[in-house]
Amino acid sequence: MTYAALAAQLTEQEVELVAVSKIQPAAAILALYGQGQRDFGENYVQELVDKQSQLPGDIRWHFIGHLQTNKVKYIAPFVHLVHGADSYKLIKEIDKQGRKHNRVIGCLLQVHIAQEETKFGLDENELDEIVGRLTAAPLEHVRVAGLMGMASFSDDQDKVRNEFRRLKRLFDKYAGIQSAGVRFEHLSMGMSADYTMAIEEGSTMVRIGSLLFGQRK
Ligand SMILES: *Cc1c(COP(=O)(O)O)cnc(C)c1O
């Protein structure tokens, strides 16, 4: 699919596009940048830091991988949104590093919606605990701006749809909170294979790589 066609479709649906550029060279990012794309997603800290230093300063970098606490410091100066916040300990560290750079760092809480064990994320109890804690006692340099999830890698459409539905229900449950620490704006769900269904189920932000850049090697 061409970038222009996808971008037009998503604009029409009022869904934000994060172009997932992991493993892609800087030139491929610049090609989309030249067509107007500003939000890019990366999974690996070192790769993100390298690309950020080489590429235009108005790119909004999304960290969509699994973030280790000891690596937060490398991306804290510039990261726009951390999609994979999955523990209070990690969020505390993001707050600490945000403080050093005098920034409020946006985070999405990652929820484990797939049946696959390998995927990261919070279960419903942990999610409830963290949202409650940050609502009652906001951290000054973190704003929880919504949820992120990855559905099962499966041909079973009903299963994938139900996983997206569950995430949307959780999003709605907390969407009314207006605290300094928690204010939901984004529901990040949907990738190349399942973004159409994710949008049908209420996604506001899709993370798309291979459909735009071709299959990763
Ligand atoms: C790689 C990745 C994507 C994009 O996957 P595609 O299938 O290439 O669109 C989206 N989200 C996360 C968390 C990823 O790691």
Side-chain angles (χ1 to χ4, degrees):
M1 192 172 201
T2 66
Y3 170 73
L6 180 63
Q9 181 195 327
L10 295 175
T11 302
E12 161 99 27
Q13 294 171 308
E14 295 181 38
V15 172
E16 293 178 76
L17 170 62
V18 177
V20 176
S21 49
K22 61 182 174 213
I23 332 234
Q24 305 299 335
I29 296 174
L30 277 176
L32 291 195
Y33 180 89
Q35 297 179 72
Q37 180 65 21
R38 290 294 177 272
D39 292 89
F40 290 90
E42 291 283 339
N43 288 55
Y44 308 103
V45 167
Q46 189 56 52
E47 184 180 349
L48 172 54
V49 169
D50 289 346
K51 285 174 170 170
Q52 193 271 340
S53 69
Q54 285 171 258
L55 286 158
D58 62 342
I59 289 180
R60 291 185 291 267
W61 292 104
H62 297 244
F63 190 80
I64 64 171
H66 181 68
L67 184 56
Q68 288 170 280
T69 307
N70 62 352
K71 296 205 170 153
V72 173
K73 57 179 177 283
Y74 301 113
I75 62 172
F78 64 85
V79 71
H80 175 65
L81 193 60
V82 174
H83 289 232
D86 63 356
S87 73
Y88 189 74
K89 178 168 162 254
L90 175 62
I91 292 169
K92 281 282 281 186
E93 178 64 16
I94 295 172
D95 178 62
K96 181 176 153 195
Q97 297 300 329
R99 179 180 303 276
K100 284 192 189 155
H101 299 283
N102 197 26
R103 310 182 60 217
V104 178
I105 299 178
C107 294
L108 305 181
L109 299 173
Q110 182 168 358
V111 185
H112 186 268
I113 53 170
Q115 270 159 11
E116 291 142 38
E117 285 293 326
T118 50
K119 294 200 169 135
F120 293 102
L122 302 159
D123 66 29
E124 289 187 28
N125 292 331
E126 293 166 331
L127 175 66
D128 206 60
E129 217 265 336
I130 291 186
V131 172
R133 199 159 166 180
L134 292 171
T135 302
L139 297 171
E140 233 181 302
H141 297 275
V142 168
R143 167 136 344 109
V144 174
L147 301 180
M148 178 272 211
M150 291 171 85
S152 295
F153 183 72
S154 166
D155 290 331
D156 183 343
Q157 302 281 300
D158 288 341
K159 179 173 167 182
V160 172
R161 191 177 290 280
N162 281 328
E163 292 172 358
F164 286 144
R165 269 190 196 159
R166 221 186 105 214
L167 188 57
K168 169 70 161 123
R169 266 202 303 276
L170 290 169
F171 181 83
D172 289 342
K173 177 174 171 187
Y174 302 110
I177 299 175
Q178 295 285 332
S179 113
V182 179
R183 195 170 315 143
F184 278 21
E185 297 166 39
H186 308 295
L187 177 54
S188 169
M189 63 181 196
M191 316 181 9
S192 293
D194 56 20
Y195 80 98
T196 306
M197 188 185 281
I199 292 170
E200 285 166 7
E201 297 306 330
S203 170
T204 71
M205 186 178 262
V206 292
R207 310 174 308 271
I208 296 186
S210 45
L211 189 69
L212 283 172
F213 293 106
Q215 216 56 257
R216 284 180 296 276
K217 273 147 219 131

